[in-house]
């Protein structure tokens, strides 16, 4: 996956979304998904919240439905973007997948981490 860099990308030298947004700001987030295989394939593109794993590293894997987030998580990334999308991509082709994003209504002090996984 690659991103389509939006105009409000804070650090334009990175390959992930690093957005500088105002409260309640809405925009589209575009992700390019590539099928490098020899056959048409379906991909699930899923938003996920970042968590800290048992080794203290940031983990962007999709959590199980019964996962209990730490009480310090006030605004999950998944509450700010539209839901999982299933896309079918021809062999050796790419497709742009668009997610709706809405920033929190109130300013926050910090960073909200999350991602998209296939």
């Amino acid at each position: 996956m690659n991103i389509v860099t939006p105009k409000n990308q804070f650090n334009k030298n990175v390959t992930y979304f690093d957005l500088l947004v105002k409260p309640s700001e809405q925009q589209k987030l575009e992700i390019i998904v590539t099928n490098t295989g020899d056959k048409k394939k379906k991909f699930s593109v899923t938003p996920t919240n970042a968590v800290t794993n048992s080794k203290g590293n940031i983990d962007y894997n999709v959590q199980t439905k019964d996962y209990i987030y730490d009480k310090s998580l006030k605004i999950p990334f998944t509450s700010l973007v539209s839901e999982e999308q299933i896309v079918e991509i021809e062999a050796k082709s790419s497709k742009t997948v668009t997610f709706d994003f809405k920033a929190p209504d109130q300013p926050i002090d910090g960073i909200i981490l999350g991602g998209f996984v296939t």
Side-chain angles (χ1 to χ4, degrees):
M1 285 191 304
N2 294 302
I3 68 164
V4 176
T5 306
K7 291 179 183 178
N8 62 326
Q9 179 83 354
F10 183 71
N11 182 347
K12 298 191 185 319
N13 297 318
V14 297
T15 58
Y16 53 86
F17 291 114
D18 183 15
L19 306 176
L20 184 59
V21 297
K22 296 176 183 166
S24 301
E25 186 174 351
Q26 296 182 41
Q27 72 183 89
K28 304 287 186 187
L29 300 180
E30 296 179 309
I31 299 165
I32 301 168
V33 181
T34 302
N35 178 1
T36 59
D38 295 328
K39 296 179 182 178
K40 183 190 306 187
K41 185 175 178 184
K42 285 186 181 181
F43 292 86
S44 169
V45 186
T46 307
T48 184
N49 299 311
V51 297
T52 305
N53 67 20
S54 61
K55 294 182 181 181
N57 297 318
I58 299 171
D59 182 346
Y60 292 97
N61 289 310
V62 176
Q63 305 304 315
T64 61
K65 291 193 186 289
D66 60 345
Y67 184 85
I68 299 171
Y69 291 98
D70 184 275
K71 63 183 174 185
S72 65
L73 177 63
K74 304 294 184 212
I75 304 172
F77 175 72
T78 54
S79 71
L80 305 176
V81 295
S82 50
E83 295 182 358
E84 169 187 46
Q85 295 185 46
I86 308 294
V87 294
E88 193 166 26
I89 304 173
E90 296 292 334
K92 309 283 188 213
S93 298
S94 297
K95 187 176 273 190
T96 301
V97 181
T98 304
F99 286 86
D100 294 322
F101 169 81
K102 182 180 182 272
D105 293 332
Q106 300 297 318
I108 62 161
D109 183 25
I111 297 172
I112 298 172
L113 290 179
F116 298 94
V117 297
T118 56

